[in-house]
Amino acid sequence: MENLTSPAKVQDLQTPCFLIDREKVANNAKKMIDICEKFKVVLRPHMKTAKTIEAGNLMTNNTKQRITVSTIAEAEFFAANGFDDILYGYIFTYDKLARISELRKKLKSFHLMIDGEEGLQLLLDNKVEGKNWTVYLAIECGGGREGIEYDNEEKILKIAKLITNCEHIELEGLYVHDGNSYEVTGEHKLKELGNSCVEKLLKVSKHLEENDIKVKIVGQGSTPTCSIPGKKMANLNEFHPGNYIFYDVQQSVIGSCNVNEIAGRVMTRIIGHYPSRNEMLIDAGFLALSHDGKGKLPNGSYCLIYDEPRLKVTKMTQEIGYVTATRGDIDFKKYPIGSTLFLLPYHSCATAAMFSIYYLHDGEDVVDTWKPCKGW
Amino acid sequence: MENLTSPAKVQDLQTPCFLIDREKVANNAKKMIDICEKFKVVLRPHMKTAKTIEAGNLMTNNTKQRITVSTIAEAEFFAANGFDDILYGYIFTYDKLARISELRKKLKSFHLMIDGEEGLQLLLDNKVEGKNWTVYLAIECGGGREGIEYDNEEKILKIAKLITNCEHIELEGLYVHDGNSYEVTGEHKLKELGNSCVEKLLKVSKHLEENDIKVKIVGQGSTPTCSIPGKKMANLNEFHPGNYIFYDVQQSVIGSCNVNEIAGRVMTRIIGHYPSRNEMLIDAGFLALSHDGKGKLPNGSYCLIYDEPRLKVTKMTQEIGYVTATRGDIDFKKYPIGSTLFLLPYHSCATAAMFSIYYLHDGEDVVDTWKPCKGW
């Protein structure tokens, strides 16, 4: 149904569908590789946004080495396709242990993330023959998600000691997702936030080293702070951003990218004209676009509509989007039934996840299809 | 990864996962069959919520006849599994025509929906040898979605005449989705709204009959008005609700069901304790629960948490949910890392769509798996 059986034009595709601009996606991958080279920092890109082998190849510069994933399904998907040195950057529980152990057996390098004694205890109780567990300690630097608070030196030291005192577990490094970077906007603020997070991490690292605990890697992620890195980011060993492969409207609002860098978009068709309520319907509802843009843009739209600044998507049901004008009346003749619109997602991670196939295009030509990994 | 290889307990499943209570889902299906029997109305259930063969069997009382779908992928999926008499209850455009024609060839009965001349023109221009097209005319009775406004008698008559004047197209009936039923609450209001919608439809039908246009079927859908039908609903020929197979928190707020009838839930595990911010993290983010409950419940939660009235989910990232207390401090000892919570979705259509497998359970036993249709 959704397979590309022959070369096609974008306009021949059935809607709704998810399009990726081949040049933009390659440029986005290259941009982060260049930033990391300039900063002399290892790039360990996050696969959670695109979840495809092709994106993984672009993001690792075809090395297939050093990636971050958010689900075991992703780890297995990339491992099965020749990727190695995978960081499962997620707090795991006992139900995941059998699959984690299989991945440890299979891969040369497979790192886990912990932020407390529970995860550590699972590793203490479960050896994999001939292999050590390697773990990143999650540190919380203000993002308010997982991790031990950076200033809780006592707890950090306690856990780090428990790790290093165990024969079959190694401390690989420190991991922070600086999620608070999504709460600021503009170059200055992003750099300031990245720098401040680095300072916190280095303090943690220094305290551990003073207690004879070696920290091989200090890594920091988030597309905003890695796209617009402050000078101190050069003191890190690793970046692990993910969203930049597609970027999105949210990133453009934050200032991580400009709108022209957004590589992914939903193509949809007009399915109805309702002049009495100044409204059109489109065949993309929340199962295509996701609800993630709800309430986020000042004009109440769920997304930007490419090249149509006077239109907005104001409501969505499962399979239908409601389009109206930002001001005045819709020029219905300009949008015949069956004609297409292109929706730039507010959050590309959420939108991409709604599709089981992405269509790569070069201008008007569909040139490839990518199939993302699904589930957990 | 997500296959059920042997009998298991619910607690053995990896999280996040989507659970369906076998008894509740069967009862929900039976309840609507009974309502339709009582009202002497044909049930043409909508498959858009569960999208599985097993749910289709329950909802059609194992007849596999007379269903409604919202995507061509669903139509193809059910047709491939022996279902017939399928209404593709969606406004189609030219890109869908090849697949629609295949379905018309294959099925004994396959109905389309139109609300304007554009769709009709596509059917006029595209015959299927030996078969007529049968169409439902979408009428808009206040829900503000697709359809010709019920009081636009001139346009309705014009389109109806165009249909009946064409040799290879038949008018099957009138279709309305009374989506405005989601804007009222309580038995009285639901019955009033259903009745009012019936009156509008019958007026349209009468006007057409007066103009020698036969209307075989007058159908009305929406889980709220079909779950709590007003007396006049008995004047309809068809009901086409869908969500009732699972129900959800939204339906319980509207009054279509009670909370105990909700058949689907997301099982998630606690992955972190953060007492300094009175918060726990769980392994269900918006890729598991969907964002559809955002801003809908008075306490700001995205969902109800089964048997945990003092907890709420206040924020979600892609793979993480943030749980806090409705008042006071969380009793962290009650929720050890790795222990489970059960999230009752605000909107089950949105939540079910996030999963590629549903686990059926009978109490603590996992008894079956269902695989839903995906995409368009």
Side-chain angles (χ1 to χ4, degrees):
Chain A
M1 267 62 88
E2 296 186 303
N3 288 316
L4 182 68
T5 50
S6 61
K9 297 289 177 187
V10 166
Q11 287 292 334
D12 296 333
L13 295 172
Q14 287 169 57
T15 46
C17 61
F18 193 56
L19 301 176
I20 304 293
D21 186 301
R22 182 165 68 170
E23 188 180 342
K24 288 181 183 179
V25 79
N27 286 346
N28 291 346
K30 178 77 165 49
K31 169 176 157 180
M32 197 58 75
I33 289 168
D34 290 347
I35 288 171
C36 287
E37 274 182 11
K38 183 179 158 199
F39 277 70
K40 296 188 173 55
V41 169
V42 167
L43 176 60
R44 181 187 285 283
H46 211 304
M47 298 294 113
K48 79 182 190 84
T49 303
K51 298 190 186 217
T52 71
I53 300 306
E54 297 86 348
N57 286 334
L58 288 174
M59 294 166 93
T60 63
N61 208 7
N62 287 310
T63 66
K64 294 182 189 277
Q65 296 296 304
R66 289 183 301 280
I67 59 170
T68 309
V69 299
S70 63
T71 66
I72 303 183
E74 284 169 49
E76 290 169 340
F77 175 74
F78 284 98
N81 284 278
F83 284 71
D84 208 325
D85 198 342
I86 298 175
L87 164 60
Y88 175 39
Y90 195 82
I91 302 293
F92 58 94
T93 43
Y94 69 95
D95 53 308
K96 316 288 195 300
L97 203 60
R99 290 165 70 192
I100 286 173
S101 298
E102 279 306 308
L103 283 159
R104 186 66 203 94
K105 279 182 208 165
K106 181 187 172 102
L107 294 168
K108 201 172 158 192
S109 293
F110 178 61
H111 315 291
L112 297 169
M113 186 172 90
I114 61 167
D115 78 344
E117 292 182 52
E118 297 82 1
L120 191 57
Q121 192 61 48
L122 289 172
L123 301 184
L124 286 168
D125 296 343
N126 291 277
K127 285 189 175 190
V128 171
E129 209 186 306
K131 298 269 179 94
N132 283 352
W133 292 112
T134 51
V135 298
Y136 281 66
L137 192 54
I139 305 295
E140 207 282 282
C141 293
R145 207 168 72 179
E146 77 282 329
I148 310 172
E149 291 89 343
Y150 73 96
D151 53 1
N152 191 343
E153 294 191 341
E154 191 184 350
K155 187 172 176 187
I156 291 173
L157 186 59
K158 183 186 170 193
I159 304 282
K161 277 187 177 169
L162 283 173
I163 295 170
T164 49
N165 287 343
C166 176
E167 252 184 30
H168 69 283
I169 310 181
E170 293 169 30
L171 180 66
E172 188 73 12
L174 305 180
Y175 182 103
V176 64
H177 172 71
D178 41 349
N180 41 352
S181 64
Y182 284 80
E183 284 150 30
V184 302
T185 57
E187 186 177 330
H188 177 69
K189 287 276 173 84
L190 285 173
K191 287 184 173 177
E192 196 174 67
L193 195 138
N195 286 338
S196 148
C197 189
V198 172
E199 278 174 12
K200 291 169 183 167
L201 284 175
L202 293 181
K203 203 173 153 222
V204 170
S205 175
K206 191 178 165 208
H207 184 247
L208 291 176
E209 304 266 11
E210 283 168 359
N211 283 274
D212 299 320
I213 293 173
K214 191 170 161 50
V215 179
K216 284 157 69 179
I217 293 166
V218 179
Q220 187 192 129
S222 107
T223 283
T225 52
C226 294
S227 295
I228 310 288
K231 277 185 188 172
K232 293 190 182 171
M233 297 282 282
N235 294 307
L236 296 172
N237 306 95
E238 273 186 9
F239 281 12
H240 41 72
N243 175 282
Y244 70 94
I245 188 67
F246 292 158
Y247 280 128
D248 53 31
V249 172
Q250 179 175 215
Q251 297 289 346
S252 76
V253 170
I254 290 170
S256 324
C257 71
N258 68 57
V259 171
N260 289 331
E261 290 176 294
I262 299 172
R265 57 184 65 184
V266 174
M267 183 167 86
T268 180
R269 283 190 171 86
I270 309 283
I271 60 168
H273 288 169
Y274 307 90
S276 66
R277 50 182 210 253
N278 198 30
E279 197 168 75
M280 300 192 288
L281 298 185
I282 54 175
D283 66 2
F286 63 73
L287 285 198
L289 191 64
S290 91
H291 255 140
D292 219 0
K294 185 177 180 181
K296 306 275 180 71
L297 289 171
N299 68 2
S301 186
Y302 279 88
C303 58
L304 285 188
I305 307 182
Y306 180 73
D307 220 15
E308 297 289 353
R310 294 191 58 180
L311 296 183
K312 58 182 179 176
V313 178
T314 52
K315 188 178 151 185
M316 284 189 291
T317 64
Q318 186 166 347
E319 301 294 356
I320 289 177
Y322 295 68
V323 174
T324 190
T326 50
R327 58 193 167 83
D329 292 336
I330 294 173
D331 176 6
F332 288 94
K333 283 185 188 154
K334 195 180 159 193
Y335 310 101
I337 305 286
S339 63
T340 50
L341 293 177
F342 297 88
L343 314 180
L344 300 181
Y346 183 80
H347 188 183
S348 62
C349 305
T351 299
M354 307 312 271
F355 293 87
S356 56
I357 194 163
Y358 311 154
Y359 293 97
L360 274 280
H361 68 104
D362 191 345
E364 293 304 311
D365 296 322
V366 180
V367 292
D368 200 0
T369 56
W370 289 2
K371 292 201 175 173
C373 166
K374 296 281 165 191
W376 297 269
Chain B
M1 268 61 88
E2 297 188 302
N3 288 316
L4 181 69
T5 50
S6 61
K9 297 290 177 185
V10 165
Q11 286 291 335
D12 295 333
L13 294 172
Q14 286 168 58
T15 47
C17 61
F18 193 56
L19 302 176
I20 304 293
D21 186 301
R22 181 164 71 170
E23 188 179 344
K24 288 181 183 178
V25 80
N27 286 346
N28 292 346
K30 179 77 164 49
K31 168 176 158 180
M32 198 59 76
I33 289 168
D34 290 347
I35 288 172
C36 287
E37 274 182 10
K38 183 181 158 198
F39 277 71
K40 295 188 173 57
V41 169
V42 167
L43 176 59
R44 182 187 284 283
H46 211 305
M47 297 295 112
K48 79 180 189 85
T49 304
K51 299 191 186 215
T52 71
I53 301 307
E54 296 86 348
N57 285 334
L58 289 174
M59 294 166 92
T60 63
N61 208 5
N62 287 310
T63 65
K64 293 181 189 278
Q65 296 295 305
R66 290 182 301 279
I67 60 170
T68 310
V69 299
S70 62
T71 66
I72 304 183
E74 284 168 50
E76 290 169 341
F77 174 73
F78 284 97
N81 283 279
F83 283 72
D84 207 325
D85 198 343
I86 298 175
L87 165 60
Y88 176 39
Y90 196 83
I91 303 294
F92 58 93
T93 43
Y94 69 94
D95 53 308
K96 316 288 195 299
L97 204 60
R99 290 165 71 192
I100 285 173
S101 298
E102 279 306 307
L103 283 159
R104 186 66 203 95
K105 280 182 206 164
K106 181 187 172 101
L107 294 168
K108 201 172 160 194
S109 293
F110 178 61
H111 315 292
L112 297 169
M113 185 173 91
I114 62 167
D115 78 345
E117 292 183 53
E118 296 83 1
L120 191 57
Q121 193 61 48
L122 290 171
L123 301 184
L124 285 168
D125 296 342
N126 292 277
K127 284 189 176 191
V128 171
E129 209 186 305
K131 298 270 180 93
N132 283 351
W133 292 112
T134 51
V135 298
Y136 281 66
L137 192 55
I139 305 294
E140 207 283 283
C141 292
R145 206 168 72 180
E146 77 281 329
I148 311 173
E149 291 89 343
Y150 74 95
D151 52 1
N152 191 343
E153 292 191 341
E154 192 184 349
K155 186 171 176 190
I156 291 172
L157 187 59
K158 183 186 170 193
I159 303 282
K161 277 188 177 167
L162 283 171
I163 295 170
T164 50
N165 287 342
C166 175
E167 252 184 30
H168 68 284
I169 310 180
E170 294 170 30
L171 180 65
E172 188 72 11
L174 306 179
Y175 182 104
V176 64
H177 173 71
D178 41 349
N180 41 353
S181 65
Y182 283 80
E183 284 150 30
V184 302
T185 57
E187 186 177 330
H188 177 70
K189 287 276 172 83
L190 285 173
K191 288 184 172 176
E192 196 176 68
L193 196 138
N195 286 338
S196 150
C197 188
V198 172
E199 279 174 10
K200 291 168 184 168
L201 283 175
L202 293 180
K203 204 174 153 218
V204 170
S205 176
K206 193 179 164 206
H207 183 246
L208 291 175
E209 304 266 11
E210 283 167 0
N211 283 275
D212 299 321
I213 293 172
K214 191 170 161 48
V215 179
K216 285 157 69 179
I217 292 165
V218 179
Q220 187 192 130
S222 106
T223 283
T225 52
C226 294
S227 296
I228 310 289
K231 278 185 188 172
K232 292 189 182 171
M233 297 282 281
N235 294 308
L236 296 172
N237 306 95
E238 272 186 10
F239 281 11
H240 41 73
N243 174 282
Y244 70 94
I245 188 67
F246 291 158
Y247 281 127
D248 53 30
V249 172
Q250 178 175 215
Q251 297 289 346
S252 75
V253 170
I254 290 169
S256 323
C257 71
N258 68 57
V259 170
N260 288 331
E261 290 176 294
I262 300 172
R265 58 184 66 185
V266 174
M267 184 168 86
T268 180
R269 283 191 171 85
I270 308 283
I271 60 169
H273 288 168
Y274 307 90
S276 67
R277 50 184 209 253
N278 198 32
E279 198 168 74
M280 300 191 288
L281 298 185
I282 53 174
D283 66 3
F286 63 72
L287 284 199
L289 191 63
S290 92
H291 255 140
D292 219 359
K294 186 179 180 180
K296 307 276 181 69
L297 289 172
N299 68 2
S301 186
Y302 280 88
C303 59
L304 285 186
I305 307 182
Y306 181 73
D307 220 15
E308 297 288 353
R310 293 192 58 181
L311 296 182
K312 57 182 180 176
V313 177
T314 52
K315 188 178 152 187
M316 283 190 291
T317 64
Q318 186 165 348
E319 300 294 357
I320 289 177
Y322 295 67
V323 175
T324 188
T326 51
R327 58 192 168 82
D329 292 335
I330 293 174
D331 176 6
F332 288 94
K333 283 185 190 154
K334 195 181 160 193
Y335 310 101
I337 305 287
S339 63
T340 51
L341 292 177
F342 297 88
L343 314 180
L344 300 181
Y346 183 79
H347 188 182
S348 61
C349 305
T351 299
M354 307 313 272
F355 293 87
S356 57
I357 194 164
Y358 310 154
Y359 292 97
L360 274 281
H361 68 105
D362 192 345
E364 292 305 311
D365 295 322
V366 180
V367 292
D368 200 1
T369 56
W370 290 1
K371 291 200 174 173
C373 165
K374 296 281 163 190
W376 296 270

